Amino acid sequence: ILIAIIPAMAFIEKDSEPKLNAVVTAIEIDADPQTVWKNVVEFPQLDEPTEFIFKTGIAYPTDATIEGTGVGAVRHCNFTTGSFVEPITVWDEPQLLKFDVVEQPAPMKELSFWDINAPHLHDYFVSKQGQFKLTPLPNGNTLLEGTTWYYHNIQPAFYWQLWSDHIIHKIHERVLEHIKTNSEDGITTNR
């Protein structure tokens, strides 16, 4: 029955509009919001991942840069397969950085002896928006929440959402841990 459900759901869902999904990951950081903000807007090179999931070819973030400040600035969250191009839509320093996603790289690189540009890696997972929300805590720390809004152009959506949510949480955890380490160690960019 389970084996039949996936193709059956794909057939049933083929004409339905994709649903926008939100994935939220949070971390507490032992630093004030202003320090954390500087590490959210852009951050230096991350260490190589140790997580198995990123050894399988799934793209992972390497660093982030920004051109300009305020609404209209363009942030580039760089991954191993290319860059997410993120025009800033809300710049509420040091509380909320929100952005659209106007370009995104392939979600993974096929593990192969040849350089394969597989069509199924393009436009099936679509990231639309993201944000970082910073909340000051009574103990002087900052709660940092990262959110990604995305949809699929592949069915069955419930099946692919399980995988995508897990992978996005892993990506968020990687970035949030990096921001935490830099903020707690006093490492910031020039912004």
Side-chain angles (χ1 to χ4, degrees), residues 31-187:
D32 64 280
Q34 192 63 47
T35 300
V36 176
W37 174 268
K38 292 174 184 173
N39 288 296
V40 162
V41 172
E42 63 181 342
F43 49 82
Q45 189 80 27
L46 282 83
D47 294 332
E48 286 293 314
T50 57
E51 302 92 333
F52 173 75
I53 197 164
F54 297 126
K55 306 284 186 190
T56 64
I58 291 175
Y60 56 86
T62 59
D63 67 299
T65 60
I66 193 162
E67 299 165 8
T69 58
V71 173
V74 179
R75 188 171 181 270
H76 295 266
C77 190
N78 303 310
F79 275 61
T80 51
T81 56
S83 295
F84 282 83
V85 179
E86 305 165 341
I88 305 301
T89 57
V90 176
W91 181 290
D92 184 10
E93 185 176 347
Q95 298 161 344
L96 182 64
L97 183 71
K98 190 169 186 175
F99 47 86
D100 288 336
V101 177
V102 295
E103 267 182 58
Q104 70 180 54
M108 68 180 295
K109 181 164 177 38
E110 292 279 357
L111 294 178
S112 172
F113 294 111
W114 301 276
D115 187 20
I116 297 175
N117 185 12
H120 66 270
L121 295 179
H122 303 283
D123 301 323
Y124 288 102
F125 168 86
V126 180
S127 181
K128 293 301 290 177
Q129 292 179 315
Q131 76 174 24
F132 290 98
K133 181 179 176 186
L134 294 79
T135 306
L137 299 174
N139 62 1
N141 292 351
T142 301
L143 179 67
L144 176 61
E145 294 174 80
T147 305
T148 297
W149 286 272
Y150 75 94
Y151 67 86
H152 290 112
N153 278 326
I154 190 169
Q155 281 78 32
F158 78 89
Y159 172 78
W160 293 106
Q161 184 177 350
L162 291 172
W163 290 102
S164 295
D165 285 0
H166 176 70
I167 293 166
I168 292 168
H169 273 301
K170 289 295 185 188
I171 290 169
H172 283 178
E173 287 170 3
R174 180 171 161 72
V175 169
L176 296 181
E177 283 291 339
H178 185 64
I179 291 169
K180 175 182 172 77
T181 299
N182 287 343
S183 297
E184 291 177 352
D185 290 349
I187 300 168

